[in-house]
Amino acid sequence: MACDILINNAGIMATPLMRDSRGYELQFATNHLGHFQLTLRLWDALIAADNARVVALSSLGHRFSPIHFEDINYAHRDYDPWRAYGQSKTANSLFAVHLDTLGKASGIRGFAVHPGRIPTTDLTRYMTEEEKAAALQATKVGPDYVPSHLKTNPQGASTSLWAATSPQLIGKGGVYCADCDISPIVADDSPDVSGVRRWAIDPDQAARLWDFSLGMID
């Protein structure tokens, strides 16, 4: 069996503090570890394709937090639903970076994607009515909201499909994409809602997260 394209799309956002059956914080477990485990189980099928692409759905929410390896599961620090979401979205991007490093010799390339802000999904189900109203007008950046374009479902799917199929990306991988293009790197403290922060594409952090994730699923 061969798997030419794998799009890891499922996710949750800004939930109250919840844990899976292993005790892991639920946003990290759902948004990162589940996809990590699925990809490993399909690794031989991806190799068999001889030209496979794996797309990880990240988000501009990666800006809310890098990976806190000393306390990924919020066992010893105050829980913040948006920072926990941000950590999981950073994990998605770092996963694509190291997957590409490990897989490119076997024809497997990894891409992280920010699909855009799509209000018609169910991701907002844990948000308050006030948060939902603010989000319809702007994007949350840190504690504030700034203007940002909304997308329809087809528009939101476009970058994932582009990353999975576009000939423009032949020979490339390990990059963060949005609006059907490779995103620029922005400063960690930038208020810009486009681009990717360095902590989400750092190869050393990506390798560390990969090894850390392997330990979490043993």
Side-chain angles (χ1 to χ4, degrees), residues 13-14 82 118-129 131-132 135:
M13 182 176 75
W82 286 107
I118 312 158
T120 48
T121 71
D122 196 32
L123 274 177
T124 61
R125 62 188 179 275
Y126 293 104
M127 294 170 64
T128 66
E129 292 305 315
E131 286 178 318
K132 289 178 184 179

Side-chain angles (χ1 to χ4, degrees), residues 11 37 102 125 143 157 172 189:
Q37 290 177 272
L102 296 177
R125 62 188 179 275
K172 300 178 181 178
D189 59 353

Side-chain angles (χ1 to χ4, degrees), residues 1-4 38-50 52 106 108:
M1 181 186 75
C3 178
D4 297 275
L38 174 64
T39 303
L40 291 185
R41 292 184 179 186
L42 292 173
W43 195 257
D44 288 343
L46 292 166
I47 291 175
D50 196 34
S106 300
I108 304 171

